[in-house]
Amino acid sequence: MRVILLGPPGAGKGTQAGTVAAHLGVPHVATGDIFRENVGQGTELGTLAKQYMNQGQLVPDDVTIAMVLERMARPDCASGVVLDGFPRTTAQAEALDGALATQDQAIDRALLIDVSEQELVKRLSGRRVCRGCQRPYNLTEAPSKKDGICDECGGELEQRADDAPDKVKVRIQVYTAQTAPLVGYYENKGTLRRVNGEQPIELVARELVAALV
Ligand code: AP5
């Protein structure tokens, strides 16, 4: 099964992607995580991506599409994938559909995690992310067991540079202008399912898994 997690910054895509991927037994591919890994390693891709990410803007479509299609061509994605943070523009969605169609494949579900803007801003101001495995936490809603340390890998937790209030504002504007139109795109294809993201994390997970059927 090939699944897309859609939703604004802070909706809970990264929090939920692992659960959905584990349920399906397929990999979780998060474009934001891949970009951040490249930034951390100082690669050419990372240097380019950083310029856009630090402004809260999208990395150009051609770079992002090539990166995701290369990742999806690896053997572990042969039986399915959960895409988190991709596609984010109509051009990306069309490129993805085109590439899948050449293999008689398609996106089976686009799961939209619905969260109000007020809640997004609150969540992102309290978010901390593991420097190692990138698992997200929240100071109030989902704290780590040990202050500042990741439960999964023992890595150090940090605040993302693009979670500064001025960057969050830009990211929400970019989502509204460039990514929200994808809701209609997948609605027209009959693959969209909406889930209320303003519930406890476990309930959101349950609804997402139920929406796969
Ligand atoms: P990316 O990393 O994808 O960021 P995003 O889409 O802005 O999403 P976030 O990671 O901010 O939020 P999330 O929905 O994953 O929420 P989370 O689970 O962490 O992209 C970063 C940048 O990379 C982009 O701005 C762009 O520059 C670039 N990029 C990435 N993909 C691209 C693409 N396709 N094209 C071009 N550029 C691209 O949760 C947020 C917080 O809320 C956490 O603290 C969490 O603990 C908490 N939380 C989660 N669920 C709940 C709940 N139910 N109740 C209470 N708290 C909750």
Side-chain angles (χ1 to χ4, degrees), residues 92-110:
Q92 291 180 12
E94 288 171 350
L96 176 63
D97 283 347
L100 290 173
T102 62
Q103 294 157 17
D104 285 329
Q105 295 168 356
I107 293 300
D108 300 291
R109 282 281 178 276

Side-chain angles (χ1 to χ4, degrees), residues 20-27 76 79-80:
V20 177
H23 178 81
L24 294 171
V26 300
D76 63 336
S79 60

Side-chain angles (χ1 to χ4, degrees), residues 6-17 30-36 49-61 64-65 67-68 84-89 92 113 115 119-120 122-129 134-143 160 162-163 167-168 171-172 174-175 179 196-205:
L6 267 181
K13 302 181 297 295
T15 299
Q16 301 292 348
T31 39
D33 289 353
I34 301 177
F35 285 136
R36 279 185 291 277
K50 193 175 173 182
Q51 297 166 32
Y52 296 91
M53 295 172 81
N54 282 354
Q55 303 305 318
Q57 299 291 343
L58 298 182
V59 179
D61 280 338
T64 308
I65 291 166
M67 179 182 84
V68 174
D84 158 9
F86 183 93
R88 247 171 156 106
T89 63
Q92 291 180 12
I113 307 180
V115 175
E119 174 70 11
L120 298 174
K122 192 179 115 201
R123 285 184 188 181
L124 292 176
S125 67
R127 174 164 62 182
R128 297 293 180 272
V129 180
Q134 307 215 23
R135 178 176 159 181
Y137 293 86
N138 193 280
L139 292 178
T140 52
E141 302 297 334
R160 268 170 48 176
D162 60 353
D163 279 348
K167 304 292 180 338
V168 167
R171 285 162 62 206
I172 292 174
V174 167
Y175 174 82
T179 309
N196 174 11
E198 286 194 46
Q199 313 180 73
I201 290 172
E202 298 69 30
L203 288 186
V204 178

